[in-house]
């Protein structure tokens, strides 16, 4: 038990600040829809393929090399366009540009997302956040084991009664045990999204055979002749009752246009129902329907909406907010007490 305590304390002291950063940025992102207060942000979204085709045309006019558009939905009534040069725009439902930016740093939701997922370090940072997820899983489990010996002294408090070694340790222990079930969920779902091979291994008994058909690579390129209204209408016919969520334009030369839909049974906000359309003829060339997928894929699809509180309504979002703020306190006080109080007082 002494070795477990030593490992828990030293590892927490070293990565506590990073845990607090992940917790705080994630908590702010949970309420993203409440603080993006641009004109039209609270408008009810529409799902008319002709109107969406018009929006795509306006987005192409707003900037070169349109990469993708995430269409307005339940959370925000604005379409978000992202361009290959790193810029972007929010468009109202009628296609009017209400906000334009040239880089990530001009929009807080963009740099907060990058901080939470990549720590501003690109793919290397993503690996770090995945490792932090597994470490948090370990902290939560070992913390429960270590707490059990002192369970009779449990007192829940949001803030230490004093900033002394014993008071901070007791606060850390008791707050951690309350937040640990939620932190385990957040840590596991976050880590396996970064390392999908782990999820694939865990869920392998539930996985079925998946035959992937190659997409055509000899189609005409997207150009001024592409009829976006026909493209969206053709794609919508595959999933008549589904919600169009995202269109992706910049693929390999000769590749089709990819459009994501969200069917009623899907938890993921942007869905995982794909339609690929030829740019010149608006003909559907491929489809991927999660309704025909195996149990493992159905479970994997739930990781992100659970992690980001995109399901469960206000109750789950509030619970994950508590978990995020608890992680901030646990991480900051663990590092501060380790490097200052414990160092100076033994």
């Amino acid at each position: 038990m002494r070795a477990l305590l030593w490992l828990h304390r030293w590892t927490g002291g070293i990565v506590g600040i990073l845990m607090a950063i992940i917790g705080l940025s994630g908590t702010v992102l949970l309420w993203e829809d409440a603080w993006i207060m641009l004109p039209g942000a609270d408008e009810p979204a529409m799902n008319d393929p002709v109107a969406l085709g018009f929006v795509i045309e306006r987005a192409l006019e707003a900037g070169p090399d349109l990469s993708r558009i995430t269409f307005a939905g339940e959370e925000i009534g604005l379409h978000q366009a992202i361009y290959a040069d790193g810029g972007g725009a929010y468009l109202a439902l009628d296609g009017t540009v209400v906000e334009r930016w040239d880089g990530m740093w001009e929009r807080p939701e963009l740099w907060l997302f990058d901080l939470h997922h990549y720590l501003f370090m690109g793919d290397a940072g993503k690996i770090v956040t995945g490792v932090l997820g597994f470490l948090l899983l370990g902290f939560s489990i070992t913390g429960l084991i270590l707490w059990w010996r002192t369970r009779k002294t449990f007192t829940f408090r949001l803030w230490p009664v004093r900033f002394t070694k014993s008071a901070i340790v007791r606060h850390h222990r008791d707050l951690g045990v309350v937040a640990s079930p939620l932190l385990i969920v957040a840590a596991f779902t976050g880590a396996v999204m970064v390392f999908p091979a782990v999820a694939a291994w865990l869920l392998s008994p539930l996985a079925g055979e998946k035959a992937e058909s190659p997409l055509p690579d000899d189609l005409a390129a997207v150009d001024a002749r592409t009829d976006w209204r026909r493209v969206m209408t053709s794609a919508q016919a595959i999933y008549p009752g589904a919600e169009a969520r995202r269109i992706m334009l910049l693929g390999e030369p000769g590749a089709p246009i990819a459009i994501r839909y969200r069917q009623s049974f899907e938890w993921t906000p942007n869905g995982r129902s794909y339609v690929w359309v030829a740019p010149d003829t608006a003909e559907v060339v491929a489809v991927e329907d999660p309704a025909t997928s195996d149990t493992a894929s159905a479970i994997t699809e739930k990781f992100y909406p659970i992690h980001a509180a995109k399901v469960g309504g206000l109750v789950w979002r509030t619970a994950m907010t508590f978990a995020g703020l608890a992680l901030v306190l646990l991480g900051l006080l663990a590092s501060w007490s380790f490097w200052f109080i414990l160092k100076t007082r033994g």
Side-chain angles (χ1 to χ4, degrees):
M1 193 65 71
R2 185 180 296 274
L4 185 64
L5 176 61
W6 181 88
L7 182 63
H8 185 98
R9 179 180 296 170
W10 269 85
T11 311
I14 293 171
V15 303
I17 298 296
L18 288 177
M19 291 289 184
I21 292 172
I22 295 296
L24 183 59
S25 58
T27 302
V28 176
L29 286 170
L30 287 176
W31 300 92
E32 179 181 357
D33 58 325
W35 49 262
I36 297 181
M37 295 180 289
L38 294 172
D42 56 353
E43 291 293 322
M46 53 154 184
N47 197 45
D48 176 20
V50 174
L52 294 179
F54 177 76
V55 168
I56 298 170
E57 294 170 2
R58 298 288 78 77
L60 286 165
E61 293 174 0
D65 297 328
L66 178 64
S67 177
R68 69 177 186 270
I69 299 176
T70 301
F71 297 119
E74 296 177 359
E75 294 187 357
I76 182 170
L78 296 171
H79 307 291
Q80 185 193 69
I82 298 296
Y83 298 92
D85 63 0
Y90 280 119
L91 293 88
L93 300 182
D94 62 0
T96 303
V97 176
V98 298
E99 179 80 353
R100 186 75 166 88
W101 61 89
D102 295 322
M104 173 181 73
W105 299 107
E106 297 179 32
R107 290 301 311 172
E109 64 273 21
L110 299 182
W111 63 258
L112 278 168
F113 181 90
D114 196 275
L115 174 62
H116 186 74
H117 291 78
Y118 302 102
L119 293 172
F120 300 144
M121 296 190 297
D123 289 339
K126 185 177 181 180
I127 294 174
V128 173
T129 61
V131 172
L132 288 173
F134 283 122
L135 286 175
L136 179 56
L137 190 62
F139 288 145
S140 301
I141 295 172
T142 57
L144 287 171
I145 295 171
L146 294 168
W147 171 84
W148 185 253
R149 300 175 305 161
T150 60
R151 62 190 182 279
K152 293 182 179 179
T153 64
F154 170 79
T155 302
F156 177 68
R157 54 177 63 88
L158 294 174
W159 196 255
V161 292
R162 292 177 302 276
F163 280 88
T164 62
K165 172 182 174 180
S166 60
I168 290 176
V169 168
R170 177 174 292 184
H171 167 265
H172 181 96
R173 181 183 63 211
D174 293 342
L175 177 61
V177 77
V178 174
S180 59
L182 294 169
L183 292 176
I184 287 172
V185 171
F188 175 77
T189 54
V192 295
M193 284 191 290
V194 175
F195 300 113
V198 176
W201 176 72
L202 292 172
L203 298 173
S204 57
L206 303 175
E209 295 291 334
K210 185 177 181 180
E212 294 187 359
S213 301
L215 295 174
D217 57 5
D218 57 352
L219 302 174
V222 171
D223 56 26
R225 296 170 295 177
T226 302
D227 188 335
W228 293 105
R229 304 179 198 197
R230 283 186 61 204
V231 166
M232 295 305 297
T233 300
S234 179
Q236 186 72 61
I238 302 298
Y239 302 114
E243 177 187 4
R245 293 302 307 131
R246 179 175 287 175
I247 185 167
M248 291 153 282
L249 278 65
L250 292 182
E252 296 295 325
I257 300 165
I259 307 172
R260 288 175 67 168
Y261 286 84
R262 182 188 184 190
Q263 299 188 69
S264 58
F265 62 84
E266 295 183 85
W267 291 17
T268 301
N270 290 327
R272 293 195 177 184
S273 302
Y274 282 85
V275 180
W276 287 271
V277 182
D280 55 343
T281 64
E283 176 186 357
V284 173
V285 297
V287 173
E288 183 176 317
D289 188 350
T292 63
S293 63
D294 54 31
T295 303
S297 298
I299 294 173
T300 301
E301 186 259 337
K302 308 296 189 296
F303 291 152
Y304 172 71
I306 290 174
H307 182 85
K310 302 300 183 182
V311 292
L314 182 61
V315 173
W316 184 244
R317 184 150 48 160
T318 302
M320 293 302 283
T321 298
F322 166 73
L325 295 178
L327 182 57
V328 174
L329 283 175
L330 293 169
L332 287 177
L333 291 177
S335 289
W336 185 74
S337 62
F338 180 81
W339 292 107
F340 296 97
I341 293 180
L342 298 185
K343 181 179 179 180
T344 57
R345 302 186 185 180

